[in-house]
Amino acid sequence: MEESNYSVMSLNLLTSGARLPGNPAFTKRVHAIQKMIQQYQPDIIGVQELTKFMFPYLSEIQNTYTIFGDSRHAFLSDEYSSILFNKNRFTFLEGKTFWLSPTINKPGSKFLFSQFPRIVTYIYLKDKQTQQTFSVFNTHLDANFDFVRAKQILVLTKIIRKSQKGDFTIVTGDFNCTCDSRALLCMQKTKLSDLIERKFGTTLRGSIGSYRFHHLPIDHIFVSQSIKPITVTKITDSYNNIFPTDHYPVYVEFSILQNNGTENMTIL
């Protein structure tokens, strides 16, 4: 069988309302974001902290990418965990946004002690050339409490198990936790592999956040075990001396056999 190559990026955009030292306003950073995407040309991008304010500035990106996903329906700090996909390469088959809560289909619902409602966006795509189909999930977990993230991960894994279909599965996100956390240990029990290893170090540019997470990555890309990684990159580039965001985006190129068959995830 022939192999097909794909590329995926996980990108926390830094919400437009944030004013963090060393991070200009989004209106100035968007040019760095555009240049980074043009440089790496990922097929799929899972973004976090996307806001309505940003959409008018993303017109150049939308020439190539379709943006899918509902907002979390928060009263304050409403954000999207959307998925961008190359509309010239893929056909959109279906998609939905779920809430990581006891009521996954109720907009704005959340677990007690979660600062904001947290969501996962799901899409099912077909490669127009190879006819391969696959599922993509993108999420952003609670920033404060590990026990809340552990509950959110349990919901997430159930959603993945129920919704995934096609030849392979990809999960991107800012998990706000490291590979040693309760939440990611739960993810590791699935048939999905985390391609972002400890050796990559922090995916946060800020020293305080990096210290909090023991200089380990909190942005992750999980993939089906049938996927063969080609390159895995932590993007540390700046563009005209401006960093795209306060995170280091993570980027993966991989190959997979065409018509490799569907697979089901097992939760242990």
Side-chain angles (χ1 to χ4, degrees), residues 142-157:
D142 183 77
N144 296 320
F145 300 112
D146 191 44
F147 74 91
V148 173
R149 289 189 290 270
K151 290 182 179 180
Q152 291 169 344
I153 281 284
L154 286 175
V155 175
L156 175 63
T157 55

Side-chain angles (χ1 to χ4, degrees), residues 134-247:
F134 61 97
S135 303
V136 184
F137 300 83
N138 179 56
T139 193
H140 188 188
L141 300 189
D142 183 77
N144 296 320
F145 300 112
D146 191 44
F147 74 91
V148 173
R149 289 189 290 270
K151 290 182 179 180
Q152 291 169 344
I153 281 284
L154 286 175
V155 175
L156 175 63
T157 55
K158 291 176 182 178
I159 291 170
I160 294 171
R161 181 176 56 187
K162 182 177 180 180
S163 302
Q164 72 172 354
K165 60 182 72 173
D167 297 304
F168 56 92
T169 296
I170 302 165
V171 182
T172 61
D174 174 357
F175 287 80
N176 272 314
C177 56
T178 69
C179 56
D180 298 327
S181 67
R182 291 169 57 189
L184 287 199
L185 287 174
C186 180
M187 279 293 290
Q188 291 170 4
K189 294 179 181 179
T190 70
K191 290 173 65 177
L192 300 176
S193 301
D194 187 2
L195 297 183
I196 310 303
E197 301 176 357
R198 298 173 62 95
K199 65 182 181 181
F200 283 88
T202 183
T203 52
L204 292 169
R205 286 181 38 244
S207 58
I208 296 177
S210 298
Y211 177 80
R212 173 190 172 193
F213 292 108
H214 310 290
H215 301 280
L216 296 174
I218 64 170
D219 300 273
H220 299 269
I221 299 177
F222 290 85
V223 298
S224 298
Q225 292 180 356
S226 55
I227 283 174
K228 183 171 69 175
I230 300 171
T231 61
V232 184
T233 304
K234 181 176 75 171
I235 301 173
T236 60
D237 306 320
S238 65
Y239 300 83
N240 294 329
N241 296 316
I242 295 178
F243 286 97
T245 176
D246 64 327
H247 285 236

Side-chain angles (χ1 to χ4, degrees), residues 4-226:
S4 300
N5 292 346
Y6 298 95
S7 55
V8 180
M9 178 183 290
S10 186
L11 169 60
N12 186 313
L13 291 166
L14 179 57
T15 180
S16 54
R19 293 292 182 269
L20 299 180
N23 295 279
F26 176 78
T27 52
K28 295 183 178 180
R29 290 187 292 106
V30 67
H31 302 294
I33 293 169
Q34 291 169 345
K35 289 179 180 178
M36 178 184 65
I37 291 174
Q38 289 170 359
Q39 177 182 348
Y40 288 90
Q41 299 183 358
D43 296 312
I44 307 288
I45 310 172
V47 298
Q48 303 88 40
E49 298 193 21
L50 173 65
T51 66
K52 288 183 179 179
F53 172 85
M54 296 177 177
F55 278 94
Y57 299 92
L58 300 178
S59 56
E60 181 177 327
I61 291 172
Q62 291 182 80
N63 289 335
T64 303
Y65 297 91
T66 295
I67 303 176
F68 179 84
D70 196 359
S71 74
R72 61 192 183 190
H73 287 244
F75 181 72
L76 296 173
S77 299
D78 197 30
E79 296 174 2
Y80 297 74
S81 294
S82 295
I83 301 172
L84 285 65
F85 62 91
N86 188 324
K87 57 188 175 184
N88 298 313
R89 180 169 187 181
F90 303 114
T91 299
F92 177 83
L93 299 178
E94 66 180 40
K96 191 171 183 179
T97 296
F98 299 97
W99 278 260
L100 300 180
S101 75
T103 50
I104 63 173
N105 293 305
K106 182 179 179 181
S109 59
K110 64 187 183 73
F111 281 109
L112 185 65
F113 297 113
S114 181
Q115 184 178 10
F116 303 110
R118 296 292 180 169
I119 56 178
V120 56
T121 300
Y122 152 74
I123 59 172
Y124 182 44
L125 300 177
K126 178 191 284 187
D127 188 315
K128 294 179 180 180
Q129 182 174 355
T130 68
Q131 304 304 304
Q132 283 184 305
T133 59
F134 61 97
S135 303
V136 184
F137 300 83
N138 179 56
T139 193
H140 188 188
L141 300 189
D142 183 77
N144 296 320
F145 300 112
D146 191 44
F147 74 91
V148 173
R149 289 189 290 270
K151 290 182 179 180
Q152 291 169 344
I153 281 284
L154 286 175
V155 175
L156 175 63
T157 55
K158 291 176 182 178
I159 291 170
I160 294 171
R161 181 176 56 187
K162 182 177 180 180
S163 302
Q164 72 172 354
K165 60 182 72 173
D167 297 304
F168 56 92
T169 296
I170 302 165
V171 182
T172 61
D174 174 357
F175 287 80
N176 272 314
C177 56
T178 69
C179 56
D180 298 327
S181 67
R182 291 169 57 189
L184 287 199
L185 287 174
C186 180
M187 279 293 290
Q188 291 170 4
K189 294 179 181 179
T190 70
K191 290 173 65 177
L192 300 176
S193 301
D194 187 2
L195 297 183
I196 310 303
E197 301 176 357
R198 298 173 62 95
K199 65 182 181 181
F200 283 88
T202 183
T203 52
L204 292 169
R205 286 181 38 244
S207 58
I208 296 177
S210 298
Y211 177 80
R212 173 190 172 193
F213 292 108
H214 310 290
H215 301 280
L216 296 174
I218 64 170
D219 300 273
H220 299 269
I221 299 177
F222 290 85
V223 298
S224 298
Q225 292 180 356
S226 55

